[in-house]
Amino acid sequence: MRTHLGIRILALASALTASVSFAADGPPAWAYGFPEPGAPAAPAGGGGRGGAPDTSPKHLAGSNLEFTLAQIRDGFGPADWFPGDHPKMPDIVAHGRRPDVRACSLCHYPNGKGRAENAPIAGYPVAYFIQQMNDFKNGDRKSAEPRKANTNVMIAIAKAMTDEEIRAAADYFGSMPWTPWIKVVETAMVPKTRIAGGLFLTLEGSEKEPIGKRIIEVPESAEATETLRDPHSGFIAYAPPGSLKKGEALVTSGGGKTLACGTCHGADLKGLGPVPGIAGRSPSYLVRQMYDMQAGVRKGVWTPLMTKVVSQLSEDDMLAIAAYTASLKP
């Protein structure tokens, strides 16, 4: 399947120009979890981490378990609020391995849904997952945004993992299908936000600001996501008006700039062989990957093909593609 698919993609991609037209003067800040250049600083607030440590037990609706904040944030055994939701986690996923390998479930959740600042890995083909981990390990996958610290963390974790640990994580996350997690809303005005660790969080109150040329991907509940790491609390992705229509044209036909996404990712964009699905997944993540490929910092086995696919896309094109694919039912 992989060989035939690669030949098919190469044949189609050769129709595209090999020159690269970079999307902007640097990575789109919003996709990487940073404020736009010149934007006023938002109030910090919301973290609740000042003063004496909070050692009180926390609870979530629907779970009969309780955890302290320290347990929720434990890099080598984070809270699993809903153990009945998923298969038994391999030890590398549940606990990691001291001192260098944090538990996969800390950032990506036990269900592999993840958050806007990292990757949505549930349902990835096992071969694709393993290849990406090896790309991190071999220096073939980096971030175009040097401030994106968690990419460097992921590189360090991958370098420290054994082949057996990578395979165990790949099998585990690959066994769970991707299910709805993100609601896309077109709007010209968005709630004001603050940024914590690369994650946009809605401020209390009702103040709004123009969305501009951004997707603002925020948790449905800032408290549930940032503080409690609730794997049942999804995301809202605000996109500029008209994004979905423009994105649909680019995704389904290429719009004269690229290939139809279904050529590689399947007609329903839910994946094809070793190629991952992109329907219903984080638009921030998708834009980061397209830009990283266009900028030449994400390489690896399949990336040269994708580099041609994204070579003529502007930042606005990437935004529209990501908004549309995120709006699809996975």
Side-chain angles (χ1 to χ4, degrees), residues 15-38:
L16 299 172
T17 176
S19 64
V20 173
S21 174
F22 288 107
D25 296 328
W30 58 267
Y32 292 81
F34 295 99
E36 296 297 300

Side-chain angles (χ1 to χ4, degrees), residues 246-260:
K246 178 180 178 181
E248 181 179 17
L250 288 165
V251 167
T252 57
S253 71
K257 289 188 170 185
T258 185
L259 299 176

Side-chain angles (χ1 to χ4, degrees), residues 3-309:
T3 301
H4 291 291
L5 182 61
I7 293 172
R8 181 185 178 195
I9 297 169
L10 276 171
L12 290 168
S14 64
L16 299 172
T17 176
S19 64
V20 173
S21 174
F22 288 107
D25 296 328
W30 58 267
Y32 292 81
F34 295 99
E36 296 297 300
R49 301 185 186 182
D54 181 354
T55 59
S56 63
K58 306 300 178 187
H59 301 86
L60 276 182
S63 175
N64 60 2
L65 302 175
E66 63 178 32
F67 300 96
T68 64
L69 291 181
Q71 290 173 317
I72 291 168
R73 299 166 182 161
D74 183 357
F76 299 95
D80 182 6
W81 289 105
F82 303 101
D85 279 7
H86 54 79
K88 179 177 171 54
M89 288 188 282
D91 200 55
I92 197 67
V93 174
H95 300 104
R97 177 170 48 77
R98 294 180 186 275
D100 300 316
V101 184
R102 297 182 195 175
C104 307
S105 59
L106 175 67
C107 297
H108 300 285
Y109 291 168
N111 60 11
K113 295 280 194 173
R115 313 196 309 186
E117 80 273 25
N118 54 52
I121 58 178
Y124 276 170
V126 170
Y128 175 80
F129 187 110
I130 292 172
Q131 183 63 54
Q132 296 314 303
M133 292 297 290
N134 286 330
D135 288 347
F136 279 123
K137 181 180 290 194
N138 297 332
D140 287 334
R141 184 165 174 177
K142 301 176 182 178
S143 176
E145 171 52 80
R147 296 174 294 172
K148 189 102 174 71
N150 64 343
T151 300
N152 295 330
V153 170
M154 192 64 237
I155 291 170
I157 290 172
K159 286 180 180 293
M161 290 179 71
T162 66
D163 291 345
E164 293 75 18
E165 288 168 339
I166 291 173
R167 178 67 192 225
D171 286 340
Y172 173 76
F173 288 114
S175 72
M176 293 180 288
W178 185 257
T179 55
W181 186 237
I182 298 162
K183 178 182 178 182
V184 177
V185 177
E186 287 190 326
T187 180
M189 301 293 291
V190 294
K192 286 195 172 183
T193 55
R194 64 182 177 92
I195 300 173
L199 183 65
F200 283 85
L201 299 167
T202 302
L203 294 174
E204 292 184 6
S206 57
E207 286 191 84
K208 294 190 175 185
E209 64 184 10
I211 191 169
K213 294 183 178 182
R214 305 176 295 168
I215 292 175
I216 301 297
E217 191 173 350
V218 297
E220 293 175 351
S221 165
E223 172 74 8
T225 296
E226 184 198 21
T227 304
L228 302 177
R229 307 185 81 85
D230 179 1
H232 284 182
S233 186
F235 283 76
I236 301 170
Y238 296 105
S243 298
L244 298 186
K245 184 177 181 180
K246 178 180 178 181
E248 181 179 17
L250 288 165
V251 167
T252 57
S253 71
K257 289 188 170 185
T258 185
L259 299 176
C261 298
T263 303
C264 309
H265 295 277
D268 55 5
L269 303 186
K270 296 179 183 179
L272 182 63
V275 180
I278 56 176
R281 296 182 187 253
S282 167
S284 303
Y285 175 79
L286 187 58
V287 169
R288 290 197 298 271
Q289 302 322 301
M290 287 190 285
Y291 189 90
D292 287 352
M293 291 173 187
Q294 192 184 76
V297 296
R298 179 174 169 179
K299 304 173 185 176
V301 173
W302 292 102
T303 307
L305 307 177
M306 274 298 300
T307 299
K308 290 186 177 182
V309 171

